[in-house]
Amino acid sequence: MSGRNDHLADGDMPLIDDIDLSAYLDGEARPGDRRRIADAIESAPGFARKAQLLRNADAKARQYGDALLASAPPARLCVRRMVAERRAKRTRRLVAAGVVLTIAFLSFVGGWIGHGLFHQQTFIARSFVEDAAAAHTVFSVETRHPVEVTALESGHLTAWLSKRLNIPVTQADLSGAGFKFIGGRLLSSRSGAPAAMLMYQDAEGIRATLYLARNRGAEPSSFRFFSSSEGRTESVYWFDRDISYGLTGAYNRETLLKLAKGVLKAMDGA
Amino acid sequence: MSDFLTDVEAAIPGLRRYALALTRDADAADDLVQDCLERALTRRRLWRPTGTVKSWLFTILHNQFISDRRCLNRRAGDLSMDDALQQSAADNPMASVALAETARAIEALSLEQRTTLLLVAVEGLTYAEAATATGVPVGTIMSRLSRARRALADKMEAGPRLARVK
């Protein structure tokens, strides 16, 4: 490139090289060189012929190019299809992300609700067993009127309580465990619904009470234990579909559990 | 945006031609074009209308070819023009002889000269666009181009008289 401007000094015979000519034919010659190149082609037939040869070369190249492209483009080069596939892929990805987000959201909501339900369950169960323990504390110490209806009228008692509580109340026979049935009474409960208490007594005159109510929203459960805040009594309580049971006494858990199983067996038999 | 796609579609024949000239293998050429198109669609938002979509695509294709060749150490295929020649030989035997001459002459050029000639003379890129596409200065484009044309012109002129019977 550097050598070609040397010829400019050559006055009458303007010299141009192949690069000049080639660029001129492409319309890419520098503006300052155009006049000079055009003049050279005009004045020297050799340059014009050369220009024609270069043009022929381009024509040959184009023929070559056309011949190369003998086959139609394969389907995989269809841009519109590529775009559609990309869009479909993106949609699938969005759907997948949406599914993940939805699952995450539902898990969160489920957790939230479950958490609430758990608390609600805990609350229901806790209220019930506290009522049972409180009733025991109040009535088990009574000497003259521990019960409202005595064991002598047990048939009347169970029929009455069954009717008021709207659950089948039976007088469980716990004599096998050394407990004698004394009687029972109707009670109120924290929920405002009626409850019943059946009282038993061992050979030493120590009492155990069975507190019953219609189950209001507690999940059926197996035996659970509760110690009153004073620590004087233990309770075992459980829920079935219809009935809530709370057995309380100043006994250890093994004894209470044995009684609870006796109650359960009697109720199943009912 | 669909203008963009229209421009891309319009450039496909040129891209395939150029890819064939680079790879000299029909499947490899279409692979190259496909990669180029995928890449172009991925970078679609990066395209700025400072140049034409066509020259941008040629730049992507060329870079793809260079990096493929570097990675795979792929050698150019031997496609030459046999398929195309057999097709046109049936129509015009004379033309096919002349075409074979041309093909031989063009394929004898160095890769750099051949690609530059194709980009400018066949695909109609400007010198600046060809320089960007092949990653060399405009001066290099100018010299490669003139040497390619000169070599081709010389071969044509000195070619066998047989092909020139009229």
Side-chain angles (χ1 to χ4, degrees):
Chain A
M1 276 239 295
S2 63
R4 60 193 173 137
N5 285 345
D6 298 349
H7 304 297
L8 274 177
D10 248 335
D12 354 334
M13 185 62 188
L15 283 180
I16 55 171
D17 61 14
D18 285 352
I19 294 178
D20 288 331
L21 202 52
S22 186
Y24 179 78
L25 291 177
D26 289 322
E28 296 256 9
R30 275 174 251 266
D33 291 344
R34 273 181 208 151
R35 188 73 252 154
R36 181 172 61 83
I37 300 168
D39 286 348
I41 294 172
E42 192 107 344
S43 58
F47 288 135
R49 172 164 165 67
K50 208 176 216 175
Q52 190 52 50
L53 284 175
L54 297 185
R55 280 210 178 88
N56 289 347
D58 280 10
K60 293 287 178 191
R62 277 191 286 276
Q63 280 176 13
Y64 170 79
D66 289 344
L68 273 181
L69 212 55
S71 64
R76 66 193 171 109
L77 296 188
C78 173
V79 193
R80 310 262 165 195
R81 203 180 68 176
M82 279 183 192
V83 171
E85 277 167 6
R86 278 161 175 269
R87 201 165 289 153
K89 205 191 263 176
R90 197 165 50 217
T91 308
R92 279 198 298 276
R93 236 179 260 150
L94 279 176
V95 167
V99 166
V100 168
L101 280 178
T102 306
I103 288 172
F105 176 73
L106 289 180
S107 306
F108 175 76
V109 169
W112 185 270
I113 291 171
H115 181 76
L117 285 179
F118 176 76
H119 270 277
Q120 196 191 356
Q121 283 297 314
T122 310
F123 177 77
I124 291 171
R126 185 74 182 211
S127 304
F128 173 76
V129 74
E130 281 174 0
D131 281 352
H136 177 89
T137 306
V138 171
F139 294 104
S140 65
V141 293
E142 276 289 327
T143 49
R144 285 195 62 188
H145 305 294
V147 295
E148 203 171 357
V149 179
T150 66
L152 297 175
E153 291 180 284
S154 65
H156 162 68
L157 175 68
T158 52
W160 172 50
L161 293 176
S162 298
K163 195 177 160 202
R164 289 304 312 272
L165 270 60
N166 196 23
I167 50 174
V169 174
T170 51
Q171 168 227 321
D173 180 10
L174 300 179
S175 57
F179 282 80
K180 190 178 78 176
F181 180 59
I182 304 174
R185 62 167 67 242
L186 184 69
L187 292 172
S188 65
S189 73
R190 206 178 300 188
S191 70
M197 190 177 75
L198 302 179
M199 194 175 288
Y200 297 82
Q201 186 174 299
D202 69 5
E204 293 166 34
I206 300 173
R207 288 161 177 174
T209 56
L210 177 62
Y211 185 84
L212 298 166
R214 188 172 177 78
N215 183 356
R216 292 176 190 276
E219 287 291 321
S221 75
S222 58
F223 299 130
R224 281 182 277 180
F225 293 98
F226 171 77
S227 303
S228 72
S229 50
E230 297 84 20
R232 305 241 293 272
T233 59
E234 286 283 334
S235 299
V236 59
Y237 63 105
W238 69 99
F239 303 95
D240 69 18
R241 195 167 56 85
D242 297 321
I243 308 174
S244 307
Y245 304 83
L247 189 64
T248 307
Y251 296 101
N252 60 26
R253 292 182 172 182
E254 286 71 36
T255 307
L256 284 178
L257 201 57
K258 198 167 68 181
L259 292 178
K261 283 174 180 166
V263 170
L264 201 59
K265 209 169 139 190
M267 292 297 168
D268 282 348
Chain B
M1 264 315 175
S2 62
D3 287 349
F4 175 88
L5 284 188
T6 309
D7 287 352
V8 171
E9 279 179 326
I12 290 177
L15 292 170
R16 291 184 73 216
R17 204 155 42 208
Y18 187 57
L20 274 167
L22 290 176
T23 61
R24 296 165 84 179
D25 176 289
D27 288 334
D30 284 338
D31 285 348
L32 189 56
V33 175
Q34 190 177 4
D35 288 349
C36 165
L37 294 175
E38 293 281 4
R39 205 164 273 229
L41 291 177
T42 304
R43 298 180 187 171
R44 185 164 159 177
R45 314 224 175 271
L46 295 180
W47 181 71
R48 295 282 172 272
T50 49
T52 62
V53 171
K54 184 170 90 168
S55 73
W56 181 65
L57 289 170
F58 273 103
T59 306
I60 294 176
L61 185 96
H62 191 89
N63 291 339
Q64 183 78 40
F65 171 70
I66 298 297
S67 72
D68 281 359
R69 199 171 55 160
R70 210 170 278 152
C71 297
L72 307 175
N73 200 14
R74 199 187 264 166
R75 282 186 51 232
D78 297 323
L79 167 79
S80 185
M81 302 232 311
D82 289 351
D83 298 346
L85 287 178
Q86 273 167 14
Q87 180 62 41
S88 59
D91 308 338
N92 184 349
M94 271 305 135
S96 80
V97 173
L99 200 53
E101 280 300 312
T102 306
R104 215 167 295 142
I106 289 177
E107 283 160 11
L109 297 173
S110 73
L111 179 72
E112 289 76 17
Q113 288 181 12
R114 190 168 72 236
T115 54
T116 308
L117 180 68
L118 288 163
L119 285 178
V120 176
V122 181
E123 308 307 340
L125 265 60
T126 65
Y127 285 10
E129 287 171 342
T132 307
T134 53
V136 297
V138 171
T140 307
I141 294 295
M142 291 171 88
S143 59
R144 280 179 184 171
L145 191 57
S146 81
R147 263 184 266 134
R149 280 171 171 157
R150 183 59 192 260
L152 201 52
D154 288 351
K155 280 249 175 68
M156 291 296 113
E157 211 171 19
R161 296 292 144 195
L162 189 66
R164 298 184 158 240
V165 172
K166 182 111 192 178

